[in-house]
Amino acid sequence: KYSCIPATATLSCREAFTVGSLRVTPIPTSHPNQGMGYRFDEEGKSFVFLTDNELAHQHPGGMAFDDYCAFVKGADLLFHDAEYRPEDYPQTKTWGHSVFTDALHLALSAGVSRFGLYHHNRDRTDRAVDEMVEECRKIAVGRPLECFAVHQDMEIVL
């Protein structure tokens, strides 16, 4: 059974709903054009997808870091917007995307098992993305967190 809010909803459901045994929980993202992130829970496994989400700046309709942390808490897998490096952010603040270390901080704070850096800057080389992943791994050393870059055609089994 699929349930959602009334027909007044525009592009997305604003309340949790189920499809079979899959529970889908939405959350507003912090982006100038707004948007939604989702948590998918099924049979004791969870995946959270948060792209176009700026953790260091709360846009109208967006949530605070602690709200996203509570939403992500204990997820098996998190894909989060990780478009920028810290040195990019002064020029891109308020554009609706996160610094990869902020997204890593979210994953670590929420006790996520696996963190996929998502929404790569189209001008960044694969080598530069690999360096971001390596930096995440160094920061998370000794913590139970797997870090990797999400790529096209990737398949992950939870």
Side-chain angles (χ1 to χ4, degrees), residues 16-88:
F17 60 93
T18 58
V19 178
S21 61
L22 177 68
R23 177 91 173 151
V24 181
T25 308
I27 190 169
T29 57
S30 184
H31 191 274
N33 296 327
Q34 302 182 339
M36 299 299 285
Y38 297 93
R39 181 179 179 119
F40 303 90
D41 291 283
E42 185 174 40
E43 297 177 7
K45 299 290 182 179
S46 55
F47 165 54
V48 178
F49 182 78
L50 284 173
T51 189
D52 292 355
N53 190 47
E54 188 169 0
L55 290 168
H57 178 82
Q58 188 174 346
H59 291 271
M63 310 294 281
F65 181 90
D66 289 344
D67 297 315
Y68 292 116
C69 192
F71 184 77
V72 170
K73 189 161 185 65
D76 295 293
L77 176 62
L78 168 64
F79 283 6
H80 195 283
D81 187 302
E83 184 167 356
Y84 300 127
R85 297 192 56 81
E87 59 269 21
D88 302 328

Side-chain angles (χ1 to χ4, degrees), residues 100-109 115 135-136 139-140 145 147:
F100 79 99
T101 51
D102 291 341
L104 173 64
H105 177 62
L106 176 68
L108 289 169
S109 297
F115 167 50
E135 192 169 336
C136 285
I139 293 168
L145 177 66
C147 301

Side-chain angles (χ1 to χ4, degrees), residues 65-141:
F65 181 90
D66 289 344
D67 297 315
Y68 292 116
C69 192
F71 184 77
V72 170
K73 189 161 185 65
D76 295 293
L77 176 62
L78 168 64
F79 283 6
H80 195 283
D81 187 302
E83 184 167 356
Y84 300 127
R85 297 192 56 81
E87 59 269 21
D88 302 328
Y89 195 62
Q91 295 82 30
T92 61
K93 186 174 181 175
T94 73
W95 289 11
H97 304 286
S98 287
V99 173
F100 79 99
T101 51
D102 291 341
L104 173 64
H105 177 62
L106 176 68
L108 289 169
S109 297
V112 169
S113 300
R114 295 156 79 185
F115 167 50
L117 286 79
Y118 188 82
H119 198 174
H120 307 296
N121 186 307
R122 66 178 175 255
D123 295 326
R124 198 170 318 283
T125 66
D126 289 348
R127 182 174 199 68
V129 171
D130 290 343
E131 290 170 359
M132 291 165 67
V133 170
E134 189 55 36
E135 192 169 336
C136 285
R137 290 175 179 160
K138 286 179 184 175
I139 293 168
V141 72

